[in-house]
Amino acid sequence: AQSVTQLGSHVSVSEGALVLLRCNYSSSVPPYLFWYVQYPNQGLQLLLKYTSAATLVKGINGFEAEFKKSETSFHLTKPSAHMSDAAEYFCAVSDQPGNTGKLIFGQGTTLQVKP
Amino acid sequence: GAGVSQSPSNKVTEKGKDVELRCDPISGHTALYWYRQSLGQGLEFLIYFQGNSAPDKSGLPSDRFSAERTGGSVSTLTIQRTQQEDSAVYLCASSLVRTGVETQYFGPGTRLLVL
């Protein structure tokens, strides 16, 4: 069964600093991986997804993530944090192919950006 | 176009009462998912609908929970005899099934508080 682990429930960075949010997955088949962002009192918005094409995936708002099979990781990065990046971030794996496509989420990481 | 909409946005009910939560998916999306987001459990899959196929109910936590999808569009999640542990944000998502990986688009959620 697939699972996702996000290391660090809370990450704090200074504005302009590198953002690194960690995600490790467990999957018996080639995974489809996602990063979603949730702003306060809003639903989830897709940042980016990995679908077995390029291992380096670029998303919205300057975020990117690299799929590393050897490390079973899909960490999210952004070179320079902005105050508007403060939100909760979720890594997820899909139970595709062959199944319903339901998402299995990590516990989430809250990103705080300090001025 | 319009995104996924959910109603009500907030619901306060008394323990033991029944509640209905509504989801309007993106027009043309054939797949619809319900998830629950709670402090203790994070984001959990509840149920999945795809076209005319039998729904995947594997995530429903008890038989007090049920859902239906009428006409392949609007969905209603019903919780009978609500309990305090049902307090959570209920998120709906829809996707357009294609070959390959689906992106799920989330609504803003219904925040349920059971007193």
Side-chain angles (χ1 to χ4, degrees):
Chain A
Q2 286 96 337
S3 66
V4 172
T5 302
Q6 291 182 242
L7 297 176
S9 60
H10 195 101
V11 171
S12 182
V13 301
S14 298
E15 190 174 20
L18 171 71
V19 175
L20 171 60
L21 304 182
R22 300 178 185 272
C23 173
N24 288 87
Y25 68 91
S26 171
S27 177
S28 58
V29 296
Y32 295 139
L33 294 160
F34 304 79
W35 275 100
Y36 280 87
V37 61
Q38 185 177 35
Y39 298 101
N41 298 314
Q42 295 187 26
L44 279 72
Q45 180 182 3
L46 180 70
L47 278 176
L48 48 81
K49 63 182 179 184
Y50 168 75
T51 59
S52 73
T55 56
L56 181 63
V57 182
K58 295 188 182 296
I60 62 171
N61 302 339
F63 285 93
E64 62 182 37
E66 186 172 8
F67 173 72
K68 291 187 177 180
K69 183 178 179 180
S70 61
E71 299 178 6
T72 61
S73 69
F74 191 56
H75 302 330
L76 182 71
T77 60
K78 181 173 180 177
S80 177
H82 192 273
M83 297 296 291
S84 61
D85 295 327
E88 190 161 18
Y89 292 79
F90 293 93
C91 183
V93 64
S94 170
D95 74 339
Q96 288 180 320
N99 293 309
T100 63
K102 67 186 182 187
L103 295 174
I104 299 153
F105 288 91
Q107 287 298 100
T109 298
T110 299
L111 176 65
Q112 180 187 26
V113 182
K114 298 177 292 185
Chain B
V4 177
S5 60
Q6 294 186 244
S7 60
S9 54
N10 291 280
K11 177 71 177 179
V12 181
T13 191
E14 295 178 347
K15 178 182 174 181
K17 295 288 180 77
D18 297 351
V19 295
E20 286 189 350
L21 312 179
R22 177 187 169 104
C23 171
D24 284 88
I26 293 172
S27 178
H29 281 194
T30 59
L32 186 147
Y33 304 78
W34 283 97
Y35 295 88
R36 179 170 70 173
Q37 184 174 24
S38 58
L39 282 176
Q41 302 298 323
L43 270 159
E44 307 171 278
F45 164 78
L46 296 178
I47 189 169
Y48 160 78
F49 295 91
Q50 169 54 47
N52 295 321
S53 303
D56 176 356
K57 304 179 182 180
S58 61
L60 294 178
S62 77
D63 59 7
R64 296 185 295 104
F65 288 72
S66 63
E68 63 178 18
R69 188 178 185 190
T70 54
S73 182
V74 172
S75 177
T76 302
L77 177 69
T78 301
I79 309 173
Q80 296 179 308
R81 305 180 303 282
T82 52
Q83 303 294 312
Q84 289 181 334
E85 61 263 28
D86 300 334
S87 296
V89 177
Y90 290 82
L91 294 167
C92 177
S94 70
S95 66
L96 180 62
V97 177
R98 306 172 182 267
T99 57
V101 179
E102 316 161 5
T103 294
Q104 295 182 26
Y105 296 87
F106 284 79
T110 293
R111 189 174 302 272
L112 175 66
L113 178 61
V114 182
L115 299 176

